[in-house]
Amino acid sequence: MTSKTENDMHVSFEDQQKINKFARHNARLDDIIEELKSKENELQALEDAESDLMLSMDKDKIPYPFNVFFYVYISYFDFLNLSKAR
């Protein structure tokens, strides 16, 4: 019986470097895809908020979050000024 099994393989240093480089790039790709999905969700939320604001322009006042628990009702134009300041 030999000391090496059929599953033992020799990988050269250059091949191992290529494997490591591929693994790093693949991990980076996964991170970028996850970040892209997050940004797409954020964009959708902002577009929904914009649509809500456009619909509420007819109203005199709209709710604006003051803190976690309270909302203040301000005019649409005041809201635009506040959102531009952010």
Side-chain angles (χ1 to χ4, degrees), residues 3-10:
S3 63
K4 291 192 175 198
T5 64
E6 292 178 19
N7 294 336
D8 288 342
M9 298 179 84
H10 174 70

Side-chain angles (χ1 to χ4, degrees), residues 14-29:
E14 293 83 19
D15 289 341
Q16 186 62 50
Q17 295 295 57
K18 290 177 184 178
I19 292 169
N20 292 345
K21 183 178 180 181
F22 173 80
R24 283 192 308 274
H25 287 176
N26 197 39
R28 175 96 171 106
L29 176 64

Side-chain angles (χ1 to χ4, degrees), residues 6-68:
E6 292 178 19
N7 294 336
D8 288 342
M9 298 179 84
H10 174 70
V11 178
S12 69
F13 179 76
E14 293 83 19
D15 289 341
Q16 186 62 50
Q17 295 295 57
K18 290 177 184 178
I19 292 169
N20 292 345
K21 183 178 180 181
F22 173 80
R24 283 192 308 274
H25 287 176
N26 197 39
R28 175 96 171 106
L29 176 64
D30 290 342
D31 291 343
I32 290 171
I33 289 172
E34 185 177 318
E35 184 179 346
L36 176 63
K37 287 179 184 177
S38 172
K39 296 293 182 183
E40 286 173 342
N41 290 340
E42 185 179 344
L43 176 63
Q44 183 62 44
L46 289 172
E47 287 174 348
D48 291 345
E50 179 186 25
S51 297
D52 290 345
L53 281 175
M54 293 303 233
L55 291 173
S56 68
M57 282 182 64
D58 297 336
K59 298 179 183 178
D60 292 336
K61 305 282 181 172
I62 57 172
Y64 183 78
F66 181 66
N67 62 25
V68 178

Side-chain angles (χ1 to χ4, degrees), residues 67-84:
N67 62 25
V68 178
F69 302 108
F70 299 105
Y71 283 83
V72 226
Y73 288 88
I74 59 175
S75 71
Y76 176 74
F77 297 107
D78 289 339
F79 176 80
L80 286 179
N81 291 334
L82 284 173
S83 61
K84 286 180 184 177

